[in-house]
Amino acid sequence: SITSEGSLTIHGVSQKISVPGTLSVTGGKVAITGSFKIKIKEYGITGLYIGDKIAAEAEINLNCKYD
């Protein structure tokens, strides 16, 4: 179990994030997987339907493979 940290930029707005995940090594290759949720409005995305017809949160899946 690991925590990946970085900056996520959506719609011109950057936020620091910390994502819990899993690190694995298979055949000498490293992979990191994890998922997290963001609040759409925190990234400057607005509209009448956010939270109503459009979800207020989005789930982002992280799947990084390093060769």
Side-chain angles (χ1 to χ4, degrees):
S1 183
I2 63 161
T3 301
S4 299
E5 296 179 347
S7 180
L8 177 66
T9 303
I10 299 175
H11 201 65
V13 177
S14 296
Q15 303 258 352
K16 288 189 176 188
I17 59 166
S18 181
V19 180
T22 303
L23 176 106
S24 62
V25 179
T26 305
K29 297 184 179 183
V30 177
I32 298 172
T33 58
S35 65
F36 60 100
K37 292 184 179 182
I38 62 160
K39 294 183 180 176
I40 303 256
K41 287 185 178 182
E42 289 179 356
Y43 287 88
I45 300 170
T46 59
L48 296 174
Y49 296 111
I50 293 181
D52 183 24
K53 294 182 181 182
I54 299 171
E57 291 186 336
E59 183 172 2
I60 298 175
N61 296 306
L62 175 69
N63 186 3
C64 299
K65 296 180 181 180
Y66 301 95
D67 291 326

